[in-house]
Coordinates of all heavy atoms in Angstrom, one line a residue:
M219 N 0.8 -1.2 0.0 CA 0.0 0.1 0.0 C 0.9 1.3 0.0 O 0.5 2.2 -0.7 CB -0.9 0.0 1.2 CG -1.9 1.1 1.3 SD -3.2 0.9 0.1 CE -4.5 1.5 1.0
E220 N 2.0 1.3 0.7 CA 2.8 2.4 0.8 C 3.5 2.7 -0.6 O 3.6 3.9 -0.9 CB 4.0 2.2 1.8 CG 4.8 3.4 2.1 CD 5.8 3.2 3.2 OE1 5.4 2.6 4.2 OE2 6.9 3.6 3.1
N221 N 3.7 1.7 -1.3 CA 4.3 1.9 -2.7 C 3.3 2.6 -3.5 O 3.7 3.4 -4.3 CB 4.7 0.5 -3.3 CG 5.3 0.7 -4.6 OD1 6.1 1.6 -4.8 ND2 5.1 -0.2 -5.5
E222 N 2.0 2.3 -3.4 CA 0.9 2.9 -4.2 C 0.9 4.4 -3.9 O 0.8 5.3 -4.8 CB -0.4 2.3 -3.9 CG -0.4 0.9 -4.5 CD -1.8 0.2 -4.1 OE1 -2.7 0.9 -3.6 OE2 -1.8 -1.0 -4.3
F223 N 1.1 4.8 -2.6 CA 1.0 6.2 -2.2 C 2.3 7.0 -2.7 O 2.2 8.1 -3.1 CB 0.9 6.4 -0.7 CG -0.5 6.0 -0.2 CD1 -0.7 5.0 0.6 CD2 -1.6 6.8 -0.6 CE1 -2.0 4.7 1.1 CE2 -2.8 6.6 -0.2 CZ -3.1 5.5 0.6
A224 N 3.4 6.2 -2.7 CA 4.6 6.8 -3.2 C 4.5 7.1 -4.7 O 4.9 8.2 -5.2 CB 5.8 5.9 -2.9
L225 N 3.9 6.2 -5.4 CA 3.6 6.3 -6.8 C 2.7 7.5 -7.1 O 3.0 8.3 -7.9 CB 3.0 5.1 -7.4 CG 2.6 5.0 -8.9 CD1 3.9 5.2 -9.7 CD2 2.0 3.7 -9.2
L226 N 1.7 7.6 -6.3 CA 0.7 8.8 -6.5 C 1.5 10.1 -6.2 O 1.2 11.0 -6.9 CB -0.5 8.5 -5.6 CG -1.6 9.7 -5.6 CD1 -2.1 9.9 -7.1 CD2 -2.7 9.4 -4.6
C227 N 2.2 10.1 -5.1 CA 3.0 11.3 -4.7 C 3.9 11.7 -5.9 O 4.0 12.9 -6.3 CB 3.7 11.2 -3.5 SG 2.6 11.1 -1.9
Q228 N 4.6 10.8 -6.4 CA 5.5 11.0 -7.5 C 4.7 11.6 -8.7 O 5.1 12.6 -9.3 CB 6.2 9.8 -8.0 CG 7.1 10.0 -9.2 CD 7.6 8.7 -9.7 OE1 7.4 7.7 -9.1 NE2 8.4 8.8 -10.8
F229 N 3.5 11.0 -9.0 CA 2.7 11.5 -10.1 C 2.3 12.9 -9.9 O 2.4 13.8 -10.8 CB 1.6 10.6 -10.3 CG 0.5 11.0 -11.2 CD1 0.7 11.0 -12.6 CD2 -0.6 11.7 -10.8 CE1 -0.2 11.5 -13.5 CE2 -1.6 12.1 -11.7 CZ -1.3 12.0 -13.1
L230 N 1.8 13.2 -8.7 CA 1.3 14.6 -8.4 C 2.4 15.6 -8.4 O 2.1 16.7 -8.9 CB 0.5 14.5 -7.1 CG -0.8 13.8 -7.0 CD1 -1.3 13.7 -5.6 CD2 -1.8 14.3 -8.1
E231 N 3.6 15.2 -8.0 CA 4.7 16.2 -8.1 C 5.1 16.5 -9.5 O 5.5 17.6 -9.9 CB 5.9 15.5 -7.4 CG 5.8 15.5 -5.9 CD 7.0 14.8 -5.2 OE1 7.8 14.3 -5.9 OE2 6.9 14.8 -4.0
E232 N 4.9 15.6 -10.5 CA 5.2 15.8 -11.8 C 4.2 16.7 -12.5 O 4.5 17.3 -13.6 CB 5.3 14.5 -12.6 CG 6.6 13.6 -12.1 CD 6.6 12.2 -12.8 OE1 5.8 12.0 -13.6 OE2 7.4 11.5 -12.4
M233 N 3.0 16.8 -12.0 CA 1.9 17.6 -12.5 C 2.2 19.0 -12.6 O 1.9 19.7 -13.5 CB 0.6 17.4 -11.8 CG 0.0 16.0 -12.1 SD -1.6 15.9 -11.4 CE -2.6 17.0 -12.3
G234 N 3.0 19.6 -11.6 CA 3.3 21.0 -11.6 C 2.1 21.8 -11.2 O 1.0 21.3 -10.8
P235 N 2.2 23.1 -11.3 CA 1.1 24.0 -11.0 C -0.1 23.8 -11.8 O -0.1 23.4 -13.0 CB 1.7 25.4 -11.1 CG 2.8 25.3 -12.1 CD 3.3 23.9 -11.9
E236 N -1.3 24.0 -11.2 CA -2.5 23.9 -11.9 C -2.7 24.9 -13.0 O -2.2 26.1 -12.9 CB -3.7 24.0 -11.0 CG -5.0 23.8 -11.6 CD -6.2 23.7 -10.6 OE1 -6.0 23.6 -9.4 OE2 -7.4 23.7 -11.1
V237 N -3.3 24.5 -14.1 CA -3.5 25.4 -15.3 C -5.0 25.6 -15.5 O -5.8 24.6 -15.4 CB -2.9 24.7 -16.6 CG1 -3.2 25.6 -17.8 CG2 -1.4 24.5 -16.4
M238 N -5.4 26.8 -15.7 CA -6.8 27.2 -15.9 C -7.2 26.7 -17.3 O -6.4 26.5 -18.2 CB -7.0 28.6 -15.8 CG -6.8 29.2 -14.4 SD -7.7 28.5 -13.1 CE -9.3 29.2 -13.4
G239 N -8.5 26.5 -17.4 CA -9.1 26.0 -18.6 C -9.1 24.6 -18.9 O -9.2 24.0 -20.0
H240 N -9.2 23.8 -17.9 CA -9.4 22.3 -18.0 C -10.7 22.0 -18.7 O -11.7 22.7 -18.4 CB -9.3 21.7 -16.6 CG -8.0 21.7 -15.9 ND1 -7.0 20.9 -16.2 CD2 -7.6 22.6 -14.9 CE1 -6.0 21.2 -15.4 NE2 -6.3 22.2 -14.7
S241 N -10.7 20.9 -19.3 CA -11.9 20.3 -19.9 C -12.7 19.6 -18.9 O -12.1 19.1 -17.9 CB -11.5 19.4 -21.1 OG -12.7 18.7 -21.5
N242 N -13.9 19.4 -19.1 CA -14.7 18.6 -18.1 C -15.5 17.6 -18.8 O -16.6 17.2 -18.4 CB -15.7 19.6 -17.3 CG -16.1 18.9 -15.9 OD1 -15.4 18.0 -15.5 ND2 -17.2 19.4 -15.4
L243 N -14.9 17.2 -19.9 CA -15.6 16.2 -20.8 C -15.6 14.8 -20.1 O -14.6 14.5 -19.4 CB -15.0 16.1 -22.2 CG -15.0 17.4 -23.0 CD1 -14.2 17.1 -24.3 CD2 -16.5 17.7 -23.4
P244 N -16.6 14.0 -20.4 CA -16.5 12.6 -19.9 C -15.3 11.8 -20.4 O -14.9 12.1 -21.5 CB -17.8 11.9 -20.2 CG -18.6 13.0 -20.8 CD -17.8 14.2 -21.1
V245 N -14.7 11.0 -19.7 CA -13.6 10.2 -20.2 C -14.1 8.9 -20.8 O -15.2 8.5 -20.6 CB -12.6 9.8 -19.0 CG1 -11.9 11.0 -18.4 CG2 -13.3 8.9 -18.0
S246 N -13.3 8.4 -21.8 CA -13.7 7.2 -22.5 C -13.6 6.1 -21.6 O -12.9 6.1 -20.5 CB -12.8 7.1 -23.7 OG -11.5 6.7 -23.3
S247 N -14.2 4.9 -22.0 CA -14.1 3.7 -21.1 C -12.6 3.2 -21.1 O -12.2 2.7 -20.0 CB -15.0 2.6 -21.7 OG -14.7 2.3 -23.0
E248 N -11.9 3.4 -22.2 CA -10.5 3.1 -22.2 C -9.7 3.9 -21.2 O -8.9 3.4 -20.4 CB -9.9 3.2 -23.6 CG -8.5 2.8 -23.7 CD -7.9 3.0 -25.1 OE1 -8.5 2.5 -26.0 OE2 -6.9 3.7 -25.2
E249 N -9.9 5.3 -21.2 CA -9.3 6.1 -20.3 C -9.6 5.8 -18.8 O -8.8 5.7 -17.9 CB -9.6 7.5 -20.6 CG -9.0 8.1 -21.8 CD -9.5 9.4 -22.3 OE1 -10.7 9.7 -22.0 OE2 -8.8 10.2 -22.8
L250 N -10.9 5.5 -18.6 CA -11.4 5.2 -17.2 C -10.6 3.9 -16.8 O -10.3 3.8 -15.6 CB -12.9 5.0 -17.2 CG -13.5 4.8 -15.8 CD1 -13.1 5.9 -14.9 CD2 -15.0 4.8 -15.9
E251 N -10.5 2.9 -17.6 CA -9.8 1.7 -17.3 C -8.4 2.0 -17.0 O -7.9 1.4 -15.9 CB -9.9 0.7 -18.5 CG -9.2 -0.7 -18.2 CD -9.3 -1.6 -19.4 OE1 -10.2 -1.5 -20.2 OE2 -8.4 -2.5 -19.5
K252 N -7.7 2.8 -17.6 CA -6.3 3.2 -17.3 C -6.2 4.0 -16.0 O -5.3 3.7 -15.2 CB -5.7 4.0 -18.4 CG -5.5 3.2 -19.7 CD -4.9 4.1 -20.8 CE -4.7 3.3 -22.1 NZ -4.2 4.1 -23.2
I253 N -7.2 4.8 -15.7 CA -7.2 5.5 -14.5 C -7.4 4.6 -13.3 O -6.7 4.7 -12.3 CB -8.4 6.6 -14.5 CG1 -8.0 7.8 -15.5 CG2 -8.7 7.0 -13.1 CD1 -9.2 8.7 -15.8
N254 N -8.3 3.6 -13.4 CA -8.5 2.6 -12.4 C -7.2 1.8 -12.2 O -6.9 1.5 -11.0 CB -9.7 1.8 -12.7 CG -11.0 2.5 -12.5 OD1 -11.1 3.3 -11.5 ND2 -12.0 2.2 -13.4
K255 N -6.6 1.5 -13.3 CA -5.4 0.7 -13.2 C -4.2 1.5 -12.6 O -3.5 1.0 -11.8 CB -5.0 0.3 -14.6 CG -4.2 -1.0 -14.8 CD -4.1 -1.4 -16.2 CE -3.0 -2.5 -16.3 NZ -2.7 -2.9 -17.6
F256 N -4.2 2.8 -12.8 CA -3.2 3.7 -12.2 C -3.5 3.8 -10.8 O -2.6 3.7 -9.9 CB -3.3 5.1 -12.8 CG -2.4 6.1 -12.1 CD1 -1.1 6.0 -12.3 CD2 -2.9 7.1 -11.4 CE1 -0.2 6.9 -11.7 CE2 -2.1 8.0 -10.8 CZ -0.7 7.9 -10.9
A257 N -4.7 3.9 -10.3 CA -5.1 4.0 -8.9 C -4.7 2.8 -8.2 O -4.3 2.7 -7.0 CB -6.6 4.2 -8.7
A258 N -4.7 1.6 -8.9 CA -4.3 0.3 -8.3 C -2.8 0.1 -8.3 O -2.4 -0.9 -7.9 CB -5.1 -0.8 -8.9
G259 N -2.1 1.0 -8.9 CA -0.6 0.8 -9.0 C -0.2 -0.1 -10.2 O 0.9 -0.7 -10.1
G260 N -1.1 -0.3 -11.1 CA -0.9 -1.3 -12.2 C -0.3 -0.7 -13.5 O -0.4 -1.4 -14.5
L261 N 0.1 0.6 -13.6 CA 0.6 1.1 -14.9 C 2.1 1.2 -14.7 O 2.7 1.6 -13.7 CB 0.0 2.5 -15.1 CG -1.5 2.6 -15.4 CD1 -1.8 4.1 -15.8 CD2 -1.9 1.7 -16.5
N262 N 2.8 0.9 -15.8 CA 4.2 1.1 -15.8 C 4.5 2.6 -16.1 O 3.6 3.4 -16.4 CB 4.9 0.2 -16.9 CG 4.4 0.4 -18.3 OD1 4.2 1.6 -18.7 ND2 4.2 -0.6 -19.1
S263 N 5.7 2.9 -16.1 CA 6.1 4.4 -16.3 C 5.7 5.0 -17.6 O 5.2 6.1 -17.7 CB 7.6 4.6 -16.1 OG 8.3 3.9 -17.0
K264 N 5.7 4.2 -18.7 CA 5.3 4.7 -20.0 C 3.8 4.9 -20.0 O 3.3 5.9 -20.6 CB 5.7 3.8 -21.1 CG 7.2 3.9 -21.5 CD 7.4 3.0 -22.8 CE 8.8 3.3 -23.2 NZ 9.1 2.6 -24.5
E265 N 3.0 4.0 -19.5 CA 1.7 4.1 -19.3 C 1.2 5.3 -18.5 O 0.3 6.1 -18.8 CB 0.9 2.8 -18.9 CG 1.1 1.7 -19.8 CD 0.7 0.4 -19.2 OE1 1.0 0.2 -18.0 OE2 0.1 -0.5 -19.9
R266 N 1.9 5.5 -17.4 CA 1.6 6.7 -16.5 C 1.9 7.9 -17.2 O 1.1 8.9 -17.2 CB 2.4 6.6 -15.2 CG 2.0 5.5 -14.3 CD 2.6 5.6 -13.0 NE 4.1 5.8 -12.9 CZ 4.9 4.8 -12.8 NH1 4.5 3.5 -12.7 NH2 6.2 5.0 -12.8
E267 N 3.0 8.0 -18.0 CA 3.4 9.2 -18.7 C 2.3 9.5 -19.8 O 2.0 10.7 -20.0 CB 4.7 9.0 -19.3 CG 5.3 10.3 -19.9 CD 6.7 10.1 -20.5 OE1 7.5 9.5 -19.7 OE2 7.1 10.6 -21.5
A268 N 1.8 8.5 -20.4 CA 0.8 8.7 -21.5 C -0.5 9.1 -20.9 O -1.3 9.9 -21.6 CB 0.6 7.4 -22.2
L269 N -0.8 8.8 -19.7 CA -2.1 9.2 -19.0 C -2.0 10.6 -18.5 O -3.1 11.3 -18.3 CB -2.4 8.2 -17.9 CG -3.7 8.4 -17.1 CD1 -4.9 8.3 -18.1 CD2 -3.8 7.4 -16.1
L270 N -0.8 11.1 -18.2 CA -0.7 12.4 -17.5 C -1.4 13.5 -18.3 O -2.1 14.3 -17.6 CB 0.8 12.6 -17.4 CG 1.2 14.0 -16.7 CD1 0.7 14.0 -15.3 CD2 2.7 14.1 -16.7
P271 N -1.3 13.7 -19.6 CA -2.0 14.7 -20.3 C -3.5 14.7 -20.1 O -4.1 15.7 -19.9 CB -1.6 14.6 -21.7 CG -0.3 13.8 -21.7 CD -0.4 12.9 -20.5
T272 N -4.0 13.5 -20.0 CA -5.5 13.3 -19.8 C -5.9 13.9 -18.4 O -6.9 14.6 -18.3 CB -6.0 11.9 -20.0 OG1 -5.6 11.5 -21.3 CG2 -7.4 11.7 -19.7
L273 N -5.1 13.6 -17.5 CA -5.4 13.9 -16.0 C -5.1 15.5 -15.9 O -5.9 16.1 -15.1 CB -4.5 13.2 -15.1 CG -4.8 11.7 -15.0 CD1 -3.8 11.0 -14.2 CD2 -6.2 11.4 -14.5
I274 N -4.2 16.0 -16.6 CA -4.0 17.5 -16.5 C -5.0 18.3 -17.3 O -5.4 19.3 -16.8 CB -2.5 17.8 -17.0 CG1 -1.5 17.2 -16.1 CG2 -2.4 19.3 -17.2 CD1 -0.1 17.4 -16.7
E275 N -5.4 17.8 -18.4 CA -6.3 18.5 -19.2 C -7.8 18.3 -18.9 O -8.6 19.1 -19.4 CB -6.0 18.2 -20.6 CG -4.7 18.6 -21.1 CD -4.3 18.0 -22.5 OE1 -5.2 17.3 -23.1 OE2 -3.2 18.2 -22.9
N276 N -8.1 17.3 -18.2 CA -9.5 17.0 -18.0 C -9.9 16.8 -16.5 O -9.5 15.9 -15.8 CB -9.8 15.7 -18.8 CG -11.3 15.4 -18.8 OD1 -12.1 15.7 -17.8 ND2 -11.8 14.9 -19.9
E277 N -10.6 17.7 -16.0 CA -11.0 17.7 -14.6 C -11.7 16.4 -14.3 O -11.6 15.9 -13.1 CB -11.8 18.9 -14.2 CG -11.1 20.2 -14.1 CD -11.9 21.4 -13.6 OE1 -12.8 21.1 -12.8 OE2 -11.8 22.4 -14.2
Q278 N -12.6 16.0 -15.1 CA -13.4 14.7 -14.9 C -12.5 13.6 -14.7 O -12.6 12.7 -13.9 CB -14.4 14.5 -16.0 CG -15.3 13.2 -15.8 CD -16.0 13.4 -14.5 OE1 -16.7 14.5 -14.3 NE2 -16.1 12.4 -13.7
A279 N -11.4 13.5 -15.5 CA -10.4 12.4 -15.4 C -9.8 12.4 -14.0 O -9.6 11.4 -13.4 CB -9.4 12.5 -16.5
L280 N -9.4 13.6 -13.6 CA -8.7 13.8 -12.3 C -9.7 13.4 -11.2 O -9.3 12.7 -10.2 CB -8.2 15.2 -12.1 CG -7.3 15.4 -10.9 CD1 -6.1 14.4 -11.0 CD2 -6.8 16.9 -10.9
H281 N -10.9 13.8 -11.3 CA -12.0 13.4 -10.4 C -12.1 11.9 -10.3 O -12.2 11.3 -9.3 CB -13.4 14.1 -10.7 CG -14.5 13.6 -9.9 ND1 -14.6 14.1 -8.6 CD2 -15.5 12.8 -10.1 CE1 -15.8 13.5 -8.1 NE2 -16.3 12.7 -9.0
D282 N -12.1 11.2 -11.5 CA -12.3 9.8 -11.6 C -11.1 9.1 -10.9 O -11.3 8.1 -10.2 CB -12.3 9.3 -13.0 CG -13.7 9.7 -13.6 OD1 -14.7 10.0 -12.9 OD2 -13.7 9.7 -15.0
L283 N -9.9 9.6 -11.0 CA -8.7 9.1 -10.3 C -8.9 9.2 -8.8 O -8.6 8.3 -8.1 CB -7.4 9.9 -10.8 CG -6.1 9.5 -10.0 CD1 -5.9 8.0 -10.2 CD2 -5.0 10.3 -10.5
V284 N -9.3 10.4 -8.3 CA -9.6 10.6 -6.8 C -10.6 9.5 -6.4 O -10.4 8.8 -5.3 CB -10.1 12.0 -6.6 CG1 -10.5 12.1 -5.1 CG2 -8.9 13.0 -6.8
Q285 N -11.7 9.3 -7.1 CA -12.7 8.4 -6.7 C -12.2 7.0 -6.7 O -12.5 6.1 -5.9 CB -13.9 8.5 -7.7 CG -14.7 9.8 -7.5 CD -15.1 10.1 -6.1 OE1 -15.6 9.2 -5.4 NE2 -14.8 11.3 -5.6
A286 N -11.3 6.6 -7.7 CA -10.8 5.3 -7.8 C -9.8 5.0 -6.6 O -9.9 3.9 -6.0 CB -10.0 5.1 -9.1
I287 N -9.1 6.1 -6.2 CA -8.2 5.9 -5.1 C -9.0 5.7 -3.8 O -8.7 4.9 -3.0 CB -7.2 7.2 -4.9 CG1 -6.2 7.2 -6.1 CG2 -6.5 7.1 -3.6 CD1 -5.5 8.4 -6.3
K288 N -10.0 6.5 -3.7 CA -10.9 6.5 -2.4 C -11.5 5.1 -2.3 O -11.6 4.6 -1.2 CB -12.0 7.6 -2.4 CG -11.5 8.9 -2.2 CD -12.7 9.9 -2.1 CE -12.2 11.3 -1.7 NZ -13.3 12.3 -1.7
S289 N -12.1 4.6 -3.4 CA -12.7 3.3 -3.4 C -11.8 2.2 -3.0 O -12.1 1.2 -2.4 CB -13.4 3.0 -4.8 OG -12.4 2.7 -5.7
R290 N -10.5 2.3 -3.3 CA -9.5 1.3 -2.9 C -9.1 1.4 -1.5 O -8.6 0.4 -0.9 CB -8.2 1.5 -3.7 CG -8.4 1.2 -5.3 CD -7.2 1.1 -6.0 NE -6.3 0.1 -5.5 CZ -6.4 -1.2 -5.7 NH1 -7.4 -1.7 -6.3 NH2 -5.5 -2.0 -5.2
Q291 N -9.4 2.5 -0.8 CA -9.0 2.6 0.6 C -10.2 2.1 1.6 O -9.9 2.0 2.7 CB -8.8 4.1 0.9 CG -7.6 4.7 0.2 CD -7.5 6.2 0.5 OE1 -8.4 6.9 1.0 NE2 -6.3 6.7 0.2
K292 N -11.2 1.7 1.0 CA -12.3 1.2 1.9 C -12.1 -0.2 2.3 O -11.5 -1.0 1.7 CB -13.7 1.3 1.1 CG -14.1 2.8 0.9 CD -15.4 2.8 0.1 CE -15.7 4.3 -0.1 NZ -17.0 4.4 -0.7

């Protein structure tokens, strides 16, 4: 579990400052699957890097990541 939090911290540090003008479009089922996999610590570094723009540009994707993380903590 600690490794998953370290991974999330590393990811959030790489995001940098928040940028205004995020999209709030629904994410695709493929993106949602990747988000859930990321929350579970199941993405490799290339997959995480590929997911980063989606999370930065889309508030809904970031919200989905938070929900996925919360659901894993129950």
Side-chain angles (χ1 to χ4, degrees):
M219 183 75 141
E220 187 173 319
N221 185 35
E222 292 173 11
F223 285 116
L225 179 63
L226 178 59
C227 288
Q228 176 189 356
F229 171 76
L230 293 174
E231 286 172 2
E232 292 175 7
M233 286 185 68
E236 185 172 348
V237 178
M238 296 300 290
H240 291 278
S241 168
N242 202 21
L243 297 173
V245 296
S246 70
S247 58
E248 181 180 306
E249 290 171 324
L250 187 56
E251 182 179 332
K252 288 178 183 177
I253 288 169
N254 287 323
K255 212 172 162 185
F256 175 70
L261 294 183
N262 64 40
S263 61
K264 281 188 176 187
E265 292 169 323
R266 290 191 308 268
E267 189 175 319
L269 183 59
L270 183 59
T272 300
L273 294 170
I274 291 173
E275 296 168 4
N276 188 326
E277 285 184 41
Q278 183 60 48
L280 192 54
H281 174 76
D282 290 339
L283 175 59
V284 169
Q285 293 305 314
I287 292 168
K288 283 182 178 180
S289 71
R290 294 192 56 76
Q291 292 178 346
K292 293 180 181 179

